[in-house]
Amino acid sequence: MNNIAEENENQKMNTETLEKQETPAPEEKQDASSPEITGEETMEELLDIYESSLKKFEEGQVVTGTVISVGRDSVLVDVGYKSEGQISIQEFIDEEGNVNVNVNDEFEVMIEVWDEEEETVLLSHEKAKKVKVWDAIKDIYDDDGTIEGVITSRVKGGFSVDIGLLAFLPGSQADLRPIRNMDEMVNQTYTFKILKYNKKRNNIVLSRRVLLEAVRDKLRSTTLEAIEDGKVMEGIVKNITEYGVFVDLGGVDGLLHITDISWGRVKHPSELFSIGDKINVKILSFDLEKERVSLGMKQLTPDPWTTAVDKYPVDSKITGKVVSLTDYGAFIELEEGVEGLIHVSEMSWTRKIRHPSQMVTVGEIIEAVVLDLKPDNRRISLGIKQTVDNPWEVISQKYPVGTIIEGKIKNITEFGLFIGIDDDIDGLVHISDISWTKRIKHPSEVYKKSDTIQAVVLDIDKANERFSLGIKQTQADPWESVSQRYEVGKEISGVITNLTDFGVFVELEEGIEGLVHVSEISKENVKSPKEHYQIGETITAKVMNINSDERRIGLSIKRLEEDDDDKYLEDFAKNMKPATSSFGEILRTNIQEQIEANKVQEAQKQDSEDADKSEE
């Protein structure tokens, strides 16, 4: 019974609708496509006419609808069908959770599902928008037009771009040149060209490069007409290399070589420029056929060397910055483009500088004196030591010859000792001036580094910057008084220090030695002293001769024996009765004495020669 009542109600509703359709408003004209109603139609005919008056839909079709209600899960939209269509509420919820749809809103929707029997219509607003985008993409592609989009993210090989649909922008098509930082393009809006699309595969490929190339080609012709030698133009830094900067002058690239960037020193162009910088440059040369343009930036300002003579006269003091160090000196920047060289020899009056880093460091501001200027060769010679007085000019007044000074040993070499005086001046004590008497093979046998010693100033050579000192000169020369301590004929004792084939060396006191020649050892023939004596043995001898100038003392053991013999004979003669000697005996005695005297002279001469050889 309920079904029958419901059906009667529907028939009543349909009848009212048909009645309304039979009597159109006076202002409105009846649709030509609508069937004409005469009033004689049966109920079934009227129902057929009503059904035919409703719109016919196909799945995938895009139509316009009006929102009639907004529910919790769906939105009801009137699209002119007997049943309202439904759209999921999720299509209207934004990122913050707000529902962005209202009753009576009108927009396009796509028929997703249309079941006439069940009178079910499912709609989608989002898909309708995509269909419209695809239609727009087709039109733009066919018309060779452009489309605007936002790069949303980086993907493998390029970017993802939102143009209403997600499209792919290859990295090679993003710009005219390789992009170093691709992240900088994300979230940026650009205009693109559609290279190709496939709706079934949902694939769209874009390009920004073709548009930039078109703009560049248009600019190129204009720029080529404007370029001329000597002209100053504005450009954009396009690329940076170690040898220079490539500048886009407007479709034409020019090279700004590193040597033409500045009159001063440039280690790498990246220190001064960044990609995208706008700079002014001067056209140095232009090859129209090869489209090669050489640019200059330093040429926009005068060459500083043209005024260097007036700014930096010889002997003037200057202040500059240390910009570079080499093995032979330091380069000082006086101003941008003007550098001078301080040679290591001009860094100190007294110190031997092996490397300029001992005196200056890169970046340090120093004061120097102009020694020489050659603007044609772009060279300035500078000196640091000239900023102070030369200590060698006053050293002789401060320390005259004969002055006793005190200082520490700074260095020890095989030939002497270097003593620190003052103002970095070192004095040299030669090994021969360490001791009057000791035979020193190396100064380290007697002294060590940092020992404090006293020495006498022997000589100052300002021209060659040499300061000579002596340690032994602080005491008297013992050889000057040796003849007083060791008289000729005196009997002395000493220790054997050396044995040679030609004699025996005997130390009489520290540093004083005498020589007993082999001929003065014994009356008997001695072939080698080593057969009779040992080093360290104490012996007694007689002083035969002294040569203080040559520092030699001649000794004789044999003479002591002869003296003993003479004494024995003398004592013997005293105890004997006197006897008369014949003339022949007296003559033989005189001849024997003369022979002995000649032997002594020859022995002394040989002693002197052998001593010379020993010292050598």
Side-chain angles (χ1 to χ4, degrees):
M1 292 294 290
N2 290 335
N3 292 336
I4 294 173
E6 185 177 350
E7 184 176 351
N8 290 335
E9 184 65 30
N10 289 336
Q11 288 179 354
K12 181 180 179 182
M13 228 170 69
N14 292 337
T15 303
E16 290 175 356
T17 304
L18 288 173
E19 288 176 354
K20 289 179 182 178
Q21 291 178 350
E22 286 178 357
T23 313
E27 301 86 4
E28 296 178 356
K29 293 183 179 180
Q30 191 171 351
D31 190 350
S33 62
S34 302
E36 185 178 352
I37 299 175
T38 62
E40 298 178 358
E41 292 83 355
T42 63
M43 180 60 69
E44 292 182 359
E45 290 175 340
L46 288 174
L47 289 173
D48 291 338
I49 292 173
Y50 170 70
E51 293 289 342
S52 64
S53 67
L54 297 174
K55 294 180 180 179
K56 301 295 182 181
F57 300 102
E58 295 180 358
E59 291 182 358
Q61 183 179 352
V62 177
V63 297
T64 302
T66 304
V67 177
I68 59 175
S69 70
V70 179
R72 182 177 180 180
D73 298 322
S74 62
V75 176
L76 294 182
V77 180
D78 180 12
V79 293
Y81 186 57
K82 57 185 175 182
S83 296
E84 292 81 8
Q86 296 183 18
I87 302 176
S88 173
I89 193 69
Q90 296 298 325
E91 292 193 14
F92 301 98
I93 298 177
D94 60 20
E95 295 178 354
E96 298 177 355
N98 300 318
V99 178
N100 297 320
V101 64
N102 299 301
V103 176
N104 295 325
D105 283 353
E106 188 175 286
F107 44 73
E108 290 182 331
V109 294
M110 189 188 83
I111 309 296
E112 280 197 287
V113 177
W114 178 48
D115 190 338
E116 189 172 3
E117 293 181 0
E118 298 291 335
E119 296 183 355
T120 301
V121 180
L122 298 181
L123 308 174
S124 175
H125 179 46
E126 291 295 332
K127 291 184 178 180
K129 291 193 292 185
K130 290 183 179 180
V131 170
K132 285 297 182 181
V133 174
W134 278 111
D135 292 340
I137 287 172
K138 180 180 182 304
D139 293 339
I140 292 171
Y141 181 80
D142 292 341
D143 296 339
D144 197 26
T146 60
I147 189 170
E148 195 173 80
V150 178
I151 296 178
T152 57
S153 63
R154 287 181 57 184
V155 296
K156 184 179 180 180
F159 301 91
S160 180
V161 184
D162 183 5
I163 57 172
L165 296 171
L166 286 181
F168 176 62
L169 173 65
S172 61
Q173 296 296 320
D175 207 331
L176 291 172
R177 59 186 181 277
I179 301 171
R180 294 186 178 181
N181 188 357
M182 298 180 72
D183 292 331
E184 292 181 352
M185 298 190 70
V186 176
N187 297 325
Q188 299 296 320
T189 301
Y190 299 101
T191 301
F192 303 96
K193 187 90 170 181
I194 300 173
L195 293 183
K196 60 181 179 179
Y197 73 96
N198 189 316
K199 186 176 181 181
K200 291 182 179 179
R201 296 183 179 179
N202 197 32
N203 184 22
I204 306 170
V205 180
L206 306 176
S207 174
R208 178 171 173 259
R209 179 173 181 168
V210 293
L211 297 177
L212 297 175
E213 287 176 343
V215 174
R216 183 186 62 184
D217 293 341
K218 185 176 180 181
L219 288 172
R220 181 191 296 272
S221 58
T222 303
T223 303
L224 290 175
E225 292 177 0
I227 287 180
E228 59 183 24
D229 290 346
K231 186 174 182 179
V232 178
M233 301 183 68
E234 184 181 73
I236 298 175
V237 176
K238 185 176 181 181
N239 193 19
I240 299 174
T241 68
E242 62 181 5
Y243 56 85
V245 177
F246 287 93
V247 182
D248 184 0
L249 301 174
V252 178
D253 292 344
L255 173 60
L256 174 60
H257 196 270
I258 188 171
T259 57
D260 290 310
I261 291 176
S262 171
W263 292 110
R265 184 186 295 261
V266 179
K267 292 182 178 179
H268 197 282
S270 59
E271 297 177 349
L272 302 175
F273 304 105
S274 299
I275 293 177
D277 287 351
K278 289 184 178 181
I279 60 174
N280 290 325
V281 291
K282 187 175 184 178
I283 309 297
L284 302 182
S285 63
F286 172 56
D287 189 332
L288 184 60
E289 295 180 358
K290 297 181 180 179
E291 292 188 6
R292 290 183 179 176
V293 184
S294 296
L295 307 174
M297 180 176 278
K298 71 180 184 182
Q299 289 79 3
L300 298 176
T301 58
D303 184 352
W305 281 96
T306 56
T307 57
V309 175
D310 298 328
K311 289 183 178 180
Y312 312 109
V314 175
D315 295 331
S316 64
K317 283 189 177 181
I318 57 89
T319 300
K321 180 181 179 181
V322 180
V323 293
S324 179
L325 300 180
T326 66
D327 290 339
Y328 54 85
F331 286 93
I332 313 301
E333 184 182 57
L334 309 185
E335 64 176 278
E336 184 177 336
V338 178
E339 292 182 6
L341 172 65
I342 302 177
H343 194 270
V344 288
S345 62
E346 301 297 340
M347 291 186 170
S348 174
W349 290 112
T350 55
R351 295 174 57 187
K352 292 183 179 179
I353 307 300
R354 295 183 178 180
H355 194 274
S357 58
Q358 296 176 245
M359 294 291 292
V360 296
T361 57
V362 174
E364 182 182 358
I365 304 299
I366 64 170
E367 188 179 65
V369 173
V370 178
L371 305 180
D372 188 29
L373 175 64
K374 295 180 180 178
D376 294 339
N377 297 327
R378 308 174 81 85
R379 292 181 181 177
I380 295 181
S381 296
L382 305 173
I384 298 177
K385 68 183 184 181
Q386 289 78 7
T387 59
V388 296
D389 293 333
N390 184 356
W392 286 100
E393 295 296 331
V394 296
I395 196 71
S396 58
Q397 300 175 7
K398 189 174 182 180
Y399 303 107
V401 174
T403 303
I404 296 178
I405 63 169
E406 186 175 87
K408 287 187 177 182
I409 298 175
K410 296 179 65 176
N411 195 19
I412 299 176
T413 67
E414 62 180 5
F415 57 83
L417 307 171
F418 284 94
I419 313 301
I421 312 301
D422 56 13
D423 295 327
D424 290 327
I425 292 179
D426 294 341
L428 172 63
V429 179
H430 193 270
I431 189 171
S432 61
D433 289 313
I434 292 178
S435 174
W436 290 111
T437 57
K438 289 183 179 179
R439 294 183 180 180
I440 300 172
K441 294 181 179 179
H442 197 282
S444 59
E445 297 174 2
V446 185
Y447 299 101
K448 62 179 182 294
K449 200 171 180 180
S450 298
D451 282 352
T452 300
I453 63 171
Q454 287 187 338
V456 175
V457 177
L458 303 180
D459 183 51
I460 298 177
D461 186 348
K462 292 188 293 183
N464 297 311
E465 297 184 352
R466 292 177 180 174
F467 198 112
S468 298
L469 301 173
I471 296 176
K472 70 181 184 182
Q473 287 80 1
T474 58
Q475 299 175 350
D477 184 355
W479 280 95
E480 293 179 354
S481 60
V482 73
S483 59
Q484 300 173 9
R485 298 195 302 277
Y486 305 105
E487 298 177 356
V488 174
K490 185 178 180 180
E491 181 180 326
I492 59 173
S493 296
V495 178
I496 297 175
T497 58
N498 193 15
L499 295 172
T500 66
D501 292 338
F502 58 82
V504 178
F505 285 94
V506 181
E507 185 179 51
L508 307 181
E509 61 181 70
E510 185 179 2
I512 303 293
E513 289 182 340
L515 174 65
V516 180
H517 192 268
V518 66
S519 62
E520 293 295 328
I521 292 177
S522 175
K523 294 179 180 180
E524 299 177 358
N525 187 16
V526 178
K527 293 182 178 180
S528 176
K530 296 178 182 179
E531 297 176 357
H532 302 274
Y533 301 100
Q534 293 181 352
I535 294 176
E537 182 181 350
T538 300
I539 63 173
T540 303
K542 185 177 182 179
V543 178
M544 299 297 296
N545 57 73
I546 297 175
N547 190 333
S548 298
D549 295 334
E550 296 182 359
R551 298 177 183 272
R552 292 171 183 169
I553 298 177
L555 304 176
S556 176
I557 299 173
K558 181 177 68 174
R559 294 303 175 89
L560 285 178
E561 295 176 354
E562 291 177 350
D563 289 346
D564 290 341
D565 291 344
D566 291 345
K567 186 177 180 182
Y568 175 78
L569 291 173
E570 184 178 348
D571 292 340
F572 179 78
K574 288 180 179 179
N575 295 325
M576 293 292 293
K577 294 181 179 180
T580 305
S581 298
S582 65
F583 175 77
E585 291 175 350
I586 295 172
L587 181 61
R588 283 195 300 269
T589 300
N590 291 336
I591 293 173
Q592 185 65 33
E593 289 178 355
Q594 185 63 41
I595 292 172
E596 291 296 330
N598 291 337
K599 285 183 179 182
V600 171
Q601 292 178 359
E602 289 294 329
Q604 290 177 349
K605 182 178 180 181
Q606 186 66 35
D607 288 345
S608 178
E609 292 176 356
D610 291 342
D612 290 339
K613 291 180 181 180
S614 175
E615 290 185 358
E616 291 176 359

